[in-house]
Amino acid sequence: MGNVIGIGAAPKRKEDQRFLTGRGNYVSDIKRPGMAAGVFVRSPHGHALLRGIDKSAALASPGAIAVLTGDDVADDGLGSLPCGWGITDAKGVPMKEPPFPMLAQDKVRFVGDMVAFVIAETPEQANAAADLLKIDYEVLPSVVGVLEAVRPDAPQLFDDVPNNICCDWELGDKAAVETAFKKAAHVARLSLVNNRLIGNPMEPRAAIAEYEPGTDRYTLWTTSQFPHVVRFLMGALVLNIPQHKLRVVAPDVGGGFGVKQFHYGEEAVITWAAKRVRRPVKWVASRSEGYVSDRHGRDHVTEAELALDETGKFLAFRVNTLANMGGYLSTFGPNIPTNLYGPLLGGVYTTPAIYCNVKVVFTNTVPVDAYRGAGRPEATFVLERIVDVAASEMGIDRVEIRRRNMIPKEAYPYQTPVLVQYDSGDPMGCLDGALVAADVKNFGVRKAASARKGKFRGLGYSTYVEACGLAPSRFAGRLGARGGLYESATVRVHPTGQVTVMIGTHNHGQGHETTFAQIVSDKLGVAFENVDIVFGDTDRVQFGMGTYGSRSLVVGGAALSKATDKVIVKGKKIAAHLLEASEADIQFEAGKFSVAGTDRIKTFEEIAGAAYVPHNYPLEVLEPGLEEQAYYDPVNFTYPGGCHIAEVEVDPETGTVTLVNYTAVDDVGTVINPMIVEGQLHGGIVQGVGQALFENAVYDEGSGQLLSGSLMDYCMPRADHLPMMKVATHSTLCTHTPMGVKGCGEVGTIGSPAAVINAVVDALSHLGVTHVDMPATPNRIWRLLQNASLPVAAE
Amino acid sequence: MKPFAYHQPDQIPDAAKLLTSIEDSKLVAGGMTLIPTLKQRLASPAALVDLSKLGSLKGITDDEATITIGAMTPHAVVAASKLVQTKIPGLAALASMIGDPAVRSRGTIGGSVANNDPAADYPAGVLGLGATIVTSKREIAADKFFLGLFETALELGEIITAIRFPVPVKAGYAKFKAPASRYALVGVFVAQFADGVRVAVTGAGPGVFRVPPMEAALSGHFDPPAIAAIKIDTDGLTSDIHAEADYRAHLVTVMAKRAVEAALS
């Protein structure tokens, strides 16, 4: 018998047994009998008319089985890839929503757009056949940047989307903001670019599809963060497959970060193809293919203005953003730069009036969608940067201006002017904790030491809040969500008292098999090792919305908590019968049902046994069995936040920025497993540091070619880029989630870019530098210093 | 990867014969450039001639005034060699900065020099030290070997067997790594000999090159300030998404100073 390992403990991760011994089961590990290989042929052009495809030579190639194109999709009457959100402009006019065919028809709109699917006996034969496909393109000029795309003379991606604007979205009280700006003692202004990112999960995307003619059932194995949603979107909206005839399995998945939380055309094509060729078909993306087909993230151009009174109090905030959507609307695409951006512009401050306008723009680039943080890092970056700009211009200390505007702990719940109401928080407490942990008071000593080496040292703050635990369905529905955002869990107690949990979230690195088992172990008093978590299979798990938006613990864990409570309620009824007591007198604690005030007890195992061998059992009023299910729809978002402090050293000779210290004190609510929280914070911070210093997806204007299309040119953060980080939690409890949890998956990515860039600007502020765009590469910093025409590096 | 024939000769003449007799055949040493190229289907040679069975191409020998490194010697072996660390520490340091541990274990000096990638490290060391490239046919001075972007003086069927390095008074290498690839955005090798100083630059342009004004200045005073004011012409230097030509030119001066510092330390 093992031990109860409950909430707050830090056991090693259950799933690591298989991962660390090479026994994971990823899509590319799976082989099906008679399996054929498929490759996608993708557009080499950013923008082109598709004049025709000659399949004959490819079909005659050795081993070739089939070549499928957009014409075949049209012939079979299949649907377009659906967008899960429908946003509207200020007048209530719906966004422009052009079709997103799973294989291109008539036109290609980005390098990587899928043109054909070639199936052969082996991957080599499929590639060889694909090489023989003759595709007639009429190349058109591409437009890749948002500023260029909205110009009147820009290439038009769709005939019925003038100026490439999908939606001209707004939020907030424009008139109130204008009034406040007229009264302002000072207005800070900032123009910035939020750089485009590519997620790069360790495991590239892959899929296998199989059709069983005997049962008319399809199975799709796919690298997905949300298999049930793929089943719904693909089955109901694209391929017209009834839900009961479609099984979607997302087995072990090697990282997602959002990249795998969309329904991709590849999934639909391969499922459709498997029936056409009556063979299981497998496709595994190469890393290069991922670069031009995995949905990208961020890519904003923003103008922001902050109005302040003479004491530095924020009066109003106005933000105008152009957000890149890429060539088509992806699953969550238009939601990210709007609903997950505008409502976060209040931050942890009492700014009374906020207005945000976002023009959502099509370009000849890979579709842009959610990437860890998704909208919230962009909002935090704008706000936390302009707070520093305002502080600098008004001669107010950066910490002091934050304190003057922070929402005090006792003011929660706090209604912002941009829809959201924060239930709980203590930003001042996080700030105070971080100032101590980062040893800010001795920063001057460290700065002087750097100066003696010829280096510039800087300190940067980011005091931020995010909205996660996506999402309250009713609220989301008002904002344009076309689906629900609840979660479900089933707790199946076996006759012997062990427990299997079926949950609709998906574990692809987050440690759910550990944390969810801790919740069950804690609540039911069963041994940690006697709880298994099942996920990622629509035939095994009742339903679910998957994992993204820091929702798994907040929403899925809540469903699990509720289902576990139902098990206890039923267990008490059974115990009352067995112990011949009133149900009201039964207590449950530490795995034992007892009659209050007596020593009469039944163990959890005895109750489970009685439920499945109901000889002595109240069958007249109670069903046998011990299995309960719960759906949970959150009443609000959760609002984790905190204070991040970055310390950098800049080498003025080369422009190199080195992150030398990093401190994060975050409010993530109740912590289930502190080791896992620490890991999530580390990973999130590193991804944010990656955006701030290294990562940049660069397209060539005109040709639409991705210039940073491999790990040789797209710089991912590495271990030697980073110092040891200090992370700590300063938690207030969420008032509306069952366990007080807030989620922690995205906080690191949301808080960190602004902290790092604020530190870089601080390091260079004595030279007149007021802003640095991301990523702060050596080349960019050096050029800034040259343009400042300052006496550096010229000894 | 497209299909190809594979040969693993155990004699240098056999390898040379395979190269000349099979049209579109390629040598493979460590394969650190070739294998990714094949996997991306950017090259599809008819045959690969693998040099790994040629034991005589491996190892480092001390010839007093020179060190000879066999063409198939991996970077990690050069980096860890007590002999190289003692006699030309700058060269051992250069080898330790190439790629990552996996690349250093597989990649070879001969492969790197023969490939002549414009951002590879070894060409700077070979040219900077004025080494001699020993081939299956002849000996070629470094100054006559590197001909430009991926171009060398090697003829069809000619195989590098070793590189012979003269032992300098002092030498140092400073590399500014390209952030993603970790190739040299700019790498500068500086070597001081009794009869003068050589300065070789990789990464900045389409091929490794020397900087005569720096060589002259350092021959007078072998210290960093001697070259601090020497600016490199941006003409012909590389501009890409990581660095424009003027930044690369600036880095040549900075890295040259740091290479001298490394040589003096």
Side-chain angles (χ1 to χ4, degrees):
Chain A
M1 279 295 288
N3 296 320
V4 168
I5 298 179
I7 292 169
K12 295 282 188 285
R13 304 197 322 166
K14 279 176 177 248
E15 46 270 70
D16 285 341
Q17 179 65 32
R18 67 178 188 280
F19 294 148
L20 298 180
T21 57
R23 286 174 168 76
N25 180 40
Y26 297 88
V27 172
S28 62
D29 294 325
I30 296 169
K31 294 184 177 66
R32 300 297 300 168
M35 191 166 76
V39 298
F40 288 94
V41 178
R42 298 175 184 277
S43 171
H45 306 294
H47 199 190
L49 297 175
L50 196 51
R51 291 294 191 200
I53 300 174
D54 180 354
K55 301 178 180 181
S56 53
L59 282 170
S61 183
I65 295 170
V67 176
L68 300 172
T69 67
D71 286 349
D72 301 307
V73 174
D75 288 348
D76 280 9
L78 303 178
S80 162
L81 296 174
C83 181
W85 284 75
I87 58 169
T88 53
D89 71 10
K91 300 187 194 80
V93 177
M95 67 185 190
K96 300 282 194 304
E97 194 173 358
F100 186 175
M102 57 200 227
L103 291 172
Q105 294 167 2
D106 307 327
K107 203 177 190 193
V108 289
R109 292 183 177 84
F110 65 93
V111 171
D113 203 355
M114 297 193 295
V115 175
F117 187 51
V118 177
I119 305 168
E121 297 295 336
T122 68
E124 292 74 20
Q125 289 175 335
N127 274 313
D131 286 346
L132 299 173
L133 212 56
K134 292 194 183 68
I135 305 170
D136 182 12
Y137 293 105
E138 182 183 329
V139 179
L140 304 172
S142 294
V143 62
V144 303
V146 286
L147 291 170
E148 293 75 15
V150 297
R151 284 183 191 146
D153 57 347
Q156 299 292 298
L157 271 75
F158 300 96
D159 293 342
D160 51 355
V161 183
N163 300 318
N164 297 311
I165 295 174
C166 164
C167 190
D168 189 350
W169 181 91
E170 66 175 31
L171 176 68
D173 188 338
K174 192 176 188 178
V177 167
E178 275 169 15
T179 305
F181 268 85
K182 284 182 191 140
K183 292 188 301 189
H186 182 78
V187 175
R189 293 188 172 82
L190 179 64
S191 303
L192 60 84
V193 172
N194 199 289
N195 44 325
R196 187 183 187 101
L197 302 179
I198 301 175
N200 272 303
M202 189 79 84
E203 177 206 27
R205 288 188 297 119
I208 302 172
E210 181 169 315
Y211 175 71
E212 299 165 59
T215 55
D216 193 31
R217 283 199 103 218
Y218 300 78
T219 304
L220 170 69
W221 290 266
T222 180
T223 50
S224 180
Q225 299 174 220
F226 62 174
H228 289 85
V229 180
V230 171
R231 182 179 66 173
F232 174 73
L233 295 176
M234 183 178 85
L237 304 178
V238 183
L239 298 181
N240 307 316
I241 301 170
Q243 295 290 287
H244 66 300
K245 294 293 187 188
L246 175 59
R247 176 187 181 195
V248 179
V249 184
D252 285 329
V253 170
F257 313 116
V259 165
K260 296 171 182 167
Q261 70 170 67
F262 318 120
H263 171 41
Y264 280 93
E266 289 91 342
E267 295 168 326
V269 170
I270 200 168
T271 305
W272 166 62
K275 182 176 183 184
R276 283 185 65 123
V277 302
R278 298 291 163 133
R279 295 270 297 271
V281 183
K282 181 177 195 170
W283 159 77
V284 180
S286 67
R287 177 67 58 189
S288 312
E289 195 175 2
Y291 268 92
V292 295
S293 63
D294 291 356
R295 303 302 178 237
H296 292 183
R298 318 284 192 259
D299 202 344
H300 289 192
V301 175
T302 292
E303 303 276 341
E305 297 164 285
L306 182 66
L308 303 97
D309 73 10
E310 60 284 350
T311 69
K313 282 284 274 184
F314 306 158
L315 301 175
F317 190 29
R318 182 158 55 203
V319 175
N320 290 296
T321 292
L322 291 168
N324 202 331
M325 274 292 96
Y328 302 92
L329 294 182
S330 174
T331 310
F332 295 100
N335 180 49
I336 308 305
T338 54
N339 294 317
L340 291 183
Y341 176 70
L344 272 297
L345 291 170
V348 295
Y349 310 116
T350 56
T351 318
I354 298 172
Y355 172 76
C356 173
N357 171 250
V358 182
K359 290 184 176 66
V360 179
V361 179
F362 289 114
T363 65
N364 293 112
T365 62
V366 169
V368 178
D369 206 320
Y371 168 64
R372 197 174 191 174
R376 291 150 291 167
E378 296 92 309
T380 300
F381 189 71
V382 176
L383 179 56
E384 288 302 297
R385 277 295 303 126
I386 204 167
V387 166
D388 265 27
V389 170
S392 165
E393 289 173 353
M394 294 186 73
I396 303 172
D397 176 78
R398 293 174 293 160
V399 173
E400 177 56 27
I401 201 169
R402 285 176 166 83
R403 286 191 195 281
R404 283 182 199 173
N405 288 283
M406 257 178 198
I407 303 164
K409 188 179 180 183
E410 53 280 7
Y412 290 83
Y414 185 85
Q415 178 62 51
T416 72
V418 274
L419 299 177
V420 290
Q421 186 188 78
Y422 307 143
D423 66 292
S424 59
D426 180 18
M428 206 85 81
C430 291
L431 171 62
D432 288 334
L435 290 171
V436 173
D439 189 27
V440 168
K441 71 175 190 307
N442 289 313
F443 173 71
V445 177
R446 300 194 292 277
K447 188 175 175 75
S450 294
R452 285 194 292 277
K453 296 184 292 175
K455 306 282 178 68
F456 304 146
R457 202 176 186 99
L459 197 63
Y461 303 90
S462 171
T463 49
Y464 73 99
V465 64
E466 63 139 324
C468 72
L470 306 185
S473 294
R474 199 177 288 155
F475 185 88
R478 283 202 298 274
L479 298 180
R482 290 167 173 170
L485 288 151
Y486 46 81
E487 197 44 77
S488 86
T490 296
V491 175
R492 177 175 297 163
V493 182
H494 299 285
T496 45
Q498 290 99 2
V499 177
T500 301
V501 171
M502 273 67 66
I503 193 157
T505 53
H506 191 279
N507 182 25
H508 40 276
Q510 294 85 348
H512 297 166
E513 291 164 62
T514 304
T515 41
F516 289 161
Q518 284 179 253
I519 292 170
V520 174
S521 182
D522 191 285
K523 293 183 70 109
L524 294 183
V526 299
F528 175 66
E529 67 188 44
N530 287 342
V531 185
D532 266 6
I533 310 298
V534 172
F535 60 92
D537 183 343
T538 60
D539 269 11
R540 293 185 72 193
V541 176
Q542 59 288 343
F543 201 66
M545 302 308 294
T547 285
Y548 50 87
S550 305
R551 70 188 305 277
S552 299
L553 175 62
V554 175
V555 190
L560 174 58
S561 175
K562 278 182 68 181
T564 310
D565 289 341
K566 289 183 182 178
V567 167
I568 296 169
V569 168
K570 184 167 183 182
K572 281 182 177 176
K573 291 184 202 292
I574 300 168
H577 176 84
L578 294 176
L579 294 167
E580 296 174 338
S582 154
E583 192 186 322
D585 291 336
I586 302 294
Q587 295 176 332
F588 180 67
E589 204 184 332
K592 292 185 175 62
F593 294 90
S594 62
V595 181
T598 75
D599 59 357
R600 290 154 60 207
I601 63 160
K602 287 284 176 189
T603 65
F604 185 76
E605 288 77 12
E606 288 174 304
I607 296 301
Y612 288 95
V613 187
H615 297 165
N616 177 17
Y617 193 87
L619 286 167
E620 298 73 14
V621 293
L622 204 59
E623 294 168 7
L626 193 53
E627 172 170 325
E628 296 290 347
Q629 187 172 98
Y631 278 63
Y632 176 79
D633 202 302
V635 300
N636 190 355
F637 297 95
T638 60
Y639 301 95
C643 177
H644 287 206
I645 301 181
E647 197 166 319
V648 301
E649 205 173 59
V650 179
D651 176 354
E653 254 195 338
T654 63
T656 305
V657 176
T658 306
L659 184 65
V660 289
N661 284 313
Y662 200 92
T663 305
V665 174
D666 291 302
D667 179 355
V668 298
T670 302
V671 171
I672 307 296
N673 182 323
M675 177 192 74
I676 284 176
V677 169
E678 199 173 322
Q680 285 286 323
L681 293 173
H682 285 166
I685 289 166
V686 171
Q687 279 181 302
V689 171
Q691 169 162 34
L693 297 181
F694 310 114
E695 300 183 44
N696 203 18
V698 183
Y699 275 97
D700 181 45
E701 194 70 56
S703 73
Q705 295 297 324
L706 180 64
L707 300 177
S708 56
S710 82
L711 289 167
M712 294 289 279
D713 288 307
Y714 185 91
C715 185
M716 298 291 287
R718 305 185 200 196
D720 68 356
H721 285 136
L722 295 146
M724 295 304 288
M725 291 173 266
K726 289 181 200 155
V727 303
T729 53
H730 173 83
S731 286
T732 58
L733 298 190
C734 176
T735 61
H736 58 83
T737 54
M739 294 172 287
V741 299
K742 296 187 178 182
C744 69
E746 295 166 295
V747 290
T749 321
I750 291 166
S752 55
V756 174
I757 294 299
N758 282 343
V760 174
V761 174
D762 180 49
L764 305 179
S765 61
H766 65 292
L767 305 174
V769 172
T770 56
H771 179 65
V772 177
D773 265 325
M774 301 188 289
T777 60
N779 187 39
R780 179 169 277 163
I781 296 292
W782 177 78
R783 196 159 303 283
L784 263 176
L785 297 181
Q786 296 310 298
N787 293 345
S789 61
L790 293 150
V792 295
E795 73 270 34
Chain B
M1 203 180 288
K2 298 175 185 175
F4 51 83
Y6 178 72
H7 302 278
Q8 204 173 29
D10 54 11
Q11 298 294 327
I12 293 169
D14 295 347
K17 197 173 164 200
L18 285 163
L19 276 179
T20 48
S21 61
I22 306 171
E23 198 176 333
D24 202 16
S25 55
K26 276 257 181 208
L27 279 184
V28 57
M32 293 296 91
T33 301
L34 181 61
I35 303 294
T37 310
L38 297 179
K39 287 172 81 169
Q40 290 178 72
R41 302 162 57 79
L42 296 173
S44 50
L48 290 190
V49 180
D50 183 346
L51 299 179
S52 62
K53 279 279 156 65
L54 299 173
S56 64
L57 301 194
K58 282 183 194 148
I60 305 171
T61 50
D62 183 0
D63 320 308
E64 294 297 328
T66 61
I67 287 177
T68 303
I69 301 178
M72 287 296 286
T73 309
H75 314 322
V77 171
V78 176
S81 161
K82 290 279 174 266
L83 177 64
V84 182
Q85 286 175 357
T86 308
K87 297 188 85 164
I88 320 179
L91 186 62
L94 176 150
S96 76
M97 294 181 212
I98 300 171
D100 56 28
V103 166
R104 291 194 290 275
S105 296
R106 290 287 310 171
T108 66
I109 188 169
S112 172
V113 171
N115 191 48
N116 192 19
D117 187 299
D121 297 290
Y122 263 132
V126 170
L127 185 65
L129 285 162
T132 301
I133 292 91
V134 184
T135 77
S136 53
K137 291 184 177 171
R138 56 185 167 147
E139 296 195 349
I140 309 169
D143 283 315
K144 300 225 153 56
F145 182 83
F146 300 106
L147 303 182
L149 191 68
F150 296 105
E151 292 287 325
T152 68
L154 288 172
E155 294 167 357
L156 181 66
E158 186 173 17
I159 299 168
I160 298 177
T161 57
I163 316 282
R164 195 167 65 235
F165 292 94
V167 176
V169 180
K170 285 184 169 59
Y173 182 60
K175 174 181 183 179
F176 193 86
K177 291 177 181 177
S181 71
R182 303 212 164 178
Y183 274 85
L185 199 69
V186 168
V188 179
F189 198 96
V190 173
Q192 183 189 32
F193 293 92
D195 58 351
V197 172
R198 294 172 67 97
V199 176
V201 177
T202 189
V208 64
F209 62 88
R210 290 172 64 183
V211 188
M214 287 189 177
E215 294 181 349
L218 289 169
S219 296
H221 293 280
F222 193 75
D223 58 10
I227 51 172
I230 298 179
K231 303 251 184 269
I232 302 298
D233 193 345
T234 58
D235 277 358
L237 298 192
T238 305
S239 274
D240 58 26
I241 60 170
H242 305 295
E244 287 104 25
D246 59 343
Y247 178 55
R248 277 190 163 87
H250 166 78
L251 283 180
V252 170
T253 304
V254 176
M255 291 300 118
K257 285 193 304 174
R258 293 184 184 183
V260 174
E261 276 168 30
L264 291 170
S265 68

